[in-house]
Amino acid sequence: MTEQQSLSTAPAQGSEGLTVALHIGAPFTDEDQLVWSLRKDAGRLLKDGVLVRRPGTYMKELTDLKGRAAKADVSEEDCGAFLDGVLREADASRVVLSMSSILGMPAWMLNGGRLYKNAGANTAALRSVFPQTRCEFFLGLCNPATLVATALWRADAEGLVLFLQGIRI
């Protein structure tokens, strides 16, 4: 399996050839620097058909759609309305969306001694928001040793207890 095959899902057709690139990031990795760097070149990227919107313009609705998709199917109309709202008449063949909390909230990232225990279910729910659209997932992680240390340092007492419950010594 090639790298592209492992990252892309759904047929190329659907939503009129649009590709949704989902940066799923991770807490404590880049603090949204990737998105803001892309936003600095948004005009140039749009000339090449790549639309990068500020996460604040779509995050609430995308989070809502993901939550609904985790419980039931999201209609094509809902998906289309969301994408229309993001595109806003822009002529783009690719839309970059970022949702750094998709792997799990920082307090839960080490729950039960497992890193991102809910990552599979959360990414599956996000994927199902765009059933007829080609989607690609992109993940950025820092060194796991520093990631875990940072998460533990920032964890509250309850988060620390949840993490330690899954460790066997």
Side-chain angles (χ1 to χ4, degrees):
M1 181 181 297
T2 68
E3 184 176 325
Q4 186 65 31
Q5 289 170 324
S6 66
L7 295 174
S8 298
T9 61
Q13 72 274 7
S15 293
E16 300 166 28
L18 182 69
T19 298
V20 175
L22 296 153
H23 172 249
I24 58 176
F28 316 125
T29 54
D30 76 348
E31 307 299 329
D32 293 325
Q33 290 178 32
L34 174 68
V35 174
W36 295 113
S37 294
L38 291 172
R39 287 285 308 141
K40 288 180 181 179
D41 289 324
R44 192 172 74 194
L45 288 167
L46 189 54
K47 288 178 184 175
D48 290 330
V50 179
L51 178 66
V52 183
R53 293 264 189 240
R54 289 182 302 110
T57 64
Y58 59 80
M59 189 59 64
K60 185 177 185 309
E61 189 174 0
L62 183 57
T63 301
D64 177 57
L65 285 171
K66 182 195 72 78
R68 288 179 24 218
K71 297 174 185 152
D73 289 337
V74 174
S75 72
E76 286 186 42
E77 292 79 22
D78 290 340
C79 173
F82 173 77
L83 290 173
D84 287 345
V86 170
L87 288 170
R88 288 188 243 145
E89 307 299 320
D91 184 21
S93 58
R94 182 181 198 81
V95 176
V96 177
L97 303 175
S98 181
M99 192 175 204
S100 63
S101 64
I102 190 67
L103 296 178
M105 299 304 293
W108 303 335
M109 68 184 281
L110 301 172
N111 191 336
R114 288 181 53 200
L115 185 62
Y116 298 119
K117 182 178 177 179
N118 297 324
N122 289 349
T123 52
L126 183 59
R127 173 64 190 100
S128 66
V129 169
F130 309 103
Q132 298 300 317
T133 305
R134 180 182 177 94
C135 291
E136 298 175 347
F137 286 82
F138 296 90
L139 172 64
L141 288 175
C142 66
N143 180 335
T146 60
L147 175 67
V148 171
T150 302
L152 290 174
W153 178 256
R154 293 188 186 177
D156 59 13
E158 183 181 346
L160 188 57
V161 169
L162 287 171
F163 174 68
L164 294 175
Q165 284 176 347
I167 295 179
R168 294 183 212 170
I169 298 177

